[in-house]
Amino acid sequence: TISWWDTPETAERMAAVLDWVTQALSPDRRWAGNDTARALPDDASVVELFTRRAAETPDSIALDGPEGPVTYGEFAHRTAVVAARLLAMGVARDTVVGVFADRTVAAMVAIWGVLRAGAAYLPLDGHLPDARVNDLLTEAEAPICLVQRPHDTRDVLPANCTGIVDRKSTRLNSSHITI
């Protein structure tokens, strides 16, 4: 039984409990799973490594979620479509592209599409208030934001930001285009 007693030992006992919780939730620094330092083969970028993996194992599962499994081949194709569209719209190395999506396969496709285009992505949580999303896009000077349904119904895009909505979206306004 745990109870609260305001005694001189309370602070020490609570510190001991917090130390125990911290130790229980944090792996020891010597734990082998923390040894993730590896050299990239041929000084390849993560995008190049992904592209190689997709070419080598196109039928292997790359992602699995509520939408079902997605193979490397399908994932690579979908990210290439996003990257090509972004490049056609003038996205370059110094461009920030907003990604306003939930934790879904579509979000991963958007993120990897932005990376394949050579740009940086700005993750935007769907739980943020509209004004905050607008402020973040404005501050980042993002000319484009990839928007997942149902967030395409929200009024979050600054005037100088074009929204790109997944082609499955049903509601589009003048500031949204589809891929």
Side-chain angles (χ1 to χ4, degrees):
T1 315
I2 298 177
S3 62
W4 179 262
W5 295 97
D6 191 13
T7 66
E9 300 87 34
T10 300
E12 280 182 32
R13 288 180 37 218
M14 292 310 295
V17 168
L18 288 175
D19 287 344
W20 179 85
V21 168
T22 301
Q23 186 63 30
L25 297 177
S26 303
D28 189 314
R29 292 191 187 276
R30 292 164 290 177
W31 180 56
N34 282 342
D35 184 17
T36 59
R38 289 171 181 77
L40 294 175
D42 305 324
D43 294 325
S45 71
V46 69
V47 173
E48 291 167 336
L49 292 174
F50 163 75
T51 305
R52 286 183 201 168
R53 173 72 177 192
E56 293 167 0
T57 60
D59 297 325
S60 296
I61 302 298
L63 296 172
D64 196 0
E67 302 95 336
V70 178
T71 65
Y72 274 99
E74 181 184 354
F75 190 68
H77 173 74
R78 289 171 65 181
T79 60
V81 169
V82 172
R85 181 61 184 264
L86 292 173
L87 290 169
M89 293 179 72
V91 167
R93 183 176 176 89
D94 293 330
T95 306
V96 175
V97 176
V99 176
F100 192 32
D102 297 320
R103 294 180 181 188
T104 61
V105 169
M108 293 305 299
V109 168
I111 290 168
W112 278 91
V114 171
L115 294 175
R116 286 186 78 168
Y121 69 92
L122 173 64
L124 300 163
D125 188 328
H127 294 99
L128 291 173
D130 292 356
R132 179 65 177 143
V133 174
N134 184 291
D135 288 346
L136 289 167
L137 289 167
T138 300
E139 188 175 321
E141 298 179 4
I144 298 170
C145 184
L146 302 174
V147 183
Q148 180 186 17
R149 287 188 327 160
H151 305 302
D152 62 320
T153 62
R154 295 173 57 183
D155 186 22
V156 298
L157 300 179
N160 61 342
C161 185
T162 300
I164 300 178
V165 184
D166 183 28
R167 70 175 169 259
K168 297 175 186 169
S169 181
T170 56
R171 181 193 176 274
L172 301 175
N173 62 37
S174 62
S175 66
H176 289 85
I177 57 177
T178 60
I179 54 172

